[in-house]
Amino acid sequence: MTQTTDATTAVEESGTSKKRRPRRSRKMSLHRAWFVAAVTFVTIIGAAAFRSLPGLLIDPLHQEYGWSRGTIGAAVSINLALYGLTAPFAAALMDRFGIRRVVAVALTVIALGSGLTVWMTAAWQLLLCWGLLVGLGSGSMALAFAATVTNRWFTERRGLVTGILTAASASGQLIFLPVLSWIVETHNWRPAAVTVALAALAVVPFVWLLLRDHPADVGLKPYGAKEFVPKPAPVPGAARRAVTVLLSAVRTGPFWLLAGTFAICGASTNGLIQTHFVPAAHDHGMPITAAASLLAVIGVFDVVGTVASGWFTDRFDARRLLAVYYALRGISLLFLPMLLAPSVHPPMLFFIVFYGLDWVATVPPTMALCREQYGEDSAIVFGWVLASHQVGAAVVAFLGGVARDVFGSYDVVWYASGALCAAAALMALVIRRRPAAGAVAVA
């Protein structure tokens, strides 16, 4: 009996040790969610090439075809507007057909639209290729993509992951802006458009082979979740759902405040600096390559600022963070007209660093407030909030070009954008927090 008991004990101890080893290895291994986040990061970087090009095309297209800056700005405006308006429908399509399919098709459409611009001869073709096709494709690659990945794969560290994925766009700008500006300066704009098309196509295999739609596809819980989450069934009627969520959200005050602040965010970043900074600096005698390099430096510090903002969002009141970000951005824009010069000097570098830290630091707290207010529909609601961001960007991209044609400078646009940022800071502070019980229910 003693030998049998000892043998049984040994077997039990051996079985116990076998059960303990996988636990140890699971603790030491990296959760699959981080690999999905890494693939998403690389995907957004590759797609960021198309966002780097519009500001570099204004002067070359104006010189080659004689099109006014307002006409070229209209194409950029359509692009930016569709970038936002497509996002909520893309988020719903991801619920219906999966992330991989939607993103792969979107990248292909971007490549098609950018590649076709090489053969254009009329302004309407610019509106069609760069405005419509690239706008639709880029809208499906918008931050709603990052929001969907974050909501599905992460329960903890959502703010940090949101900041990292948002920073991917800036990283892409950092990679592509100097390269594309050199290509435009040395070989004209057409090779740059082809480069954008090839960069978008190059990412498609990564998306198709490495990205997964849901943790349940690989038998895992979301990162930080205590229980396994089954993969939800495909949601039919993507367009209907996107509209239904919008109709529900517009009945709430926080939606209008979030949409309003984010519209000003788009106006003061994509619509203003990204589209018009290079031609504005060139107006003051600065070489295009130097101005594009400054935008790339903004991208460097944007990565730092956005990741830090995600970390702050996990710990502080998102409303107050937004108020601080918008206030600081407005102050910096008011000083910009005094800093533009033929060469790069220390005050300009200070502006670039300061503004770069704030570039899209607004995204993590805005996503957090959408999650807090709208729960499972938050990705689609954020898609509509992003639509307002891009509408604001589109308006300023167009009006900025018109202002340059009418007044001969961009000064009035800088000052107006600074005032709008002050208004956004006040709007952020009056957003009401969701009651604690509701927040728990959503979580």
Side-chain angles (χ1 to χ4, degrees):
M1 286 293 294
T2 303
Q3 291 179 351
T4 304
T5 303
D6 292 343
T8 303
T9 302
V11 169
E12 289 176 351
E13 288 177 354
S14 175
T16 302
S17 64
K18 287 180 182 178
K19 290 179 182 177
R20 284 176 183 168
R21 281 174 194 160
R23 283 180 197 159
R24 242 183 266 124
S25 63
R26 275 198 296 267
K27 288 182 180 178
M28 294 175 64
S29 63
L30 195 64
H31 194 284
R32 179 68 176 268
W34 293 107
F35 290 100
V36 172
V39 174
T40 305
F41 185 90
V42 173
T43 303
I44 296 175
I45 285 179
F50 65 83
R51 297 187 60 197
S52 305
L53 195 55
L56 303 177
L57 292 181
I58 293 178
D59 283 335
L61 292 178
H62 173 69
Q63 293 169 8
E64 180 170 340
Y65 295 106
W67 300 336
S68 70
R69 290 178 176 83
T71 298
I72 301 169
V76 179
S77 179
I78 293 172
N79 178 294
L80 293 172
L82 287 176
Y83 178 91
L85 294 173
T86 306
F89 296 98
L93 285 171
M94 289 177 187
D95 289 339
R96 175 67 179 88
F97 298 106
I99 298 174
R100 286 195 303 171
R101 292 179 181 177
V102 173
V103 173
V105 171
L107 288 167
T108 304
V109 172
I110 290 171
L112 179 65
S114 182
L116 288 176
T117 58
V118 173
W119 292 284
M120 68 182 179
T121 56
W124 68 266
Q125 294 167 350
L126 177 67
L127 299 177
L128 175 65
C129 295
W130 197 262
L132 180 63
L133 291 179
V134 177
L136 289 173
S138 61
S140 301
M141 288 293 304
L143 291 172
F145 168 42
T148 301
V149 171
T150 303
N151 290 349
R152 289 186 182 184
W153 281 89
F154 292 86
T155 299
E156 295 180 353
R157 301 288 188 266
R158 281 178 168 174
L160 177 62
V161 175
T162 299
I164 292 172
L165 296 182
T166 303
S169 180
S171 300
Q173 178 175 290
L174 165 65
I175 293 170
F176 287 106
L177 252 178
V179 175
L180 293 177
S181 64
W182 177 82
I183 293 174
V184 170
E185 190 84 2
T186 308
H187 302 287
N188 206 344
W189 62 270
R190 287 181 177 82
V194 172
T195 301
V196 170
L198 294 177
L201 285 177
V203 181
V204 174
F206 289 94
V207 170
W208 195 254
L209 296 175
L210 301 177
L211 196 62
R212 292 294 179 268
D213 292 328
H214 196 277
D217 289 341
V218 288
L220 292 175
K221 298 181 292 185
Y223 178 82
K226 296 180 180 178
E227 298 179 357
F228 182 82
V229 179
K231 182 178 181 178
V235 181
R240 189 187 314 115
R241 185 184 177 209
V243 174
T244 301
V245 170
L246 173 64
L247 293 176
S248 176
V250 295
R251 297 188 181 98
T252 65
F255 174 81
W256 292 105
L257 291 169
L258 288 168
T261 55
F262 224 41
I264 294 173
C265 178
S268 56
T269 54
N270 300 74
L272 182 65
I273 296 295
Q274 185 168 326
T275 304
H276 294 293
F277 178 80
V278 172
H282 191 56
D283 283 347
H284 287 77
M286 184 179 295
I288 290 177
T289 51
S293 297
L294 289 177
L295 275 185
V297 174
I298 286 179
V300 175
F301 288 95
D302 179 29
V303 174
V304 177
T306 307
V307 174
S309 178
W311 188 85
F312 290 144
T313 301
D314 286 332
R315 291 162 175 78
F316 301 106
D317 187 340
R319 301 171 304 161
R320 295 181 180 178
L321 289 176
L322 285 178
V324 171
Y325 296 157
Y326 285 121
L328 294 177
R329 183 184 300 174
I331 292 171
S332 66
L333 288 173
L334 293 177
F335 282 97
L336 182 56
M338 296 178 281
L339 302 177
L340 292 170
S343 60
V344 179
H345 50 88
M348 172 57 79
L349 288 176
F350 180 79
F351 166 83
I352 293 298
V353 172
F354 189 86
Y355 187 87
L357 291 171
D358 201 323
W359 177 268
V360 285
T362 56
V363 174
T366 301
M367 278 191 182
L369 288 171
C370 285
R371 279 194 294 267
E372 177 185 303
Q373 298 286 339
Y374 303 104
E376 293 182 355
D377 291 330
S378 61
I380 297 177
V381 172
F382 179 75
W384 285 112
V385 172
L386 179 63
S388 72
H389 179 283
Q390 296 307 116
V391 169
V395 170
V396 172
F398 173 68
L399 292 181
V402 172
R404 172 62 178 79
D405 290 334
V406 173
F407 299 108
S409 76
Y410 288 98
D411 288 359
V412 66
V413 186
W414 308 130
Y415 294 135
S417 297
L420 285 174
C421 288
L426 295 176
M427 292 166 65
L429 289 175
V430 300
I431 297 174
R432 292 185 178 181
R433 297 296 302 269
R434 188 178 179 89
V440 172
V442 170

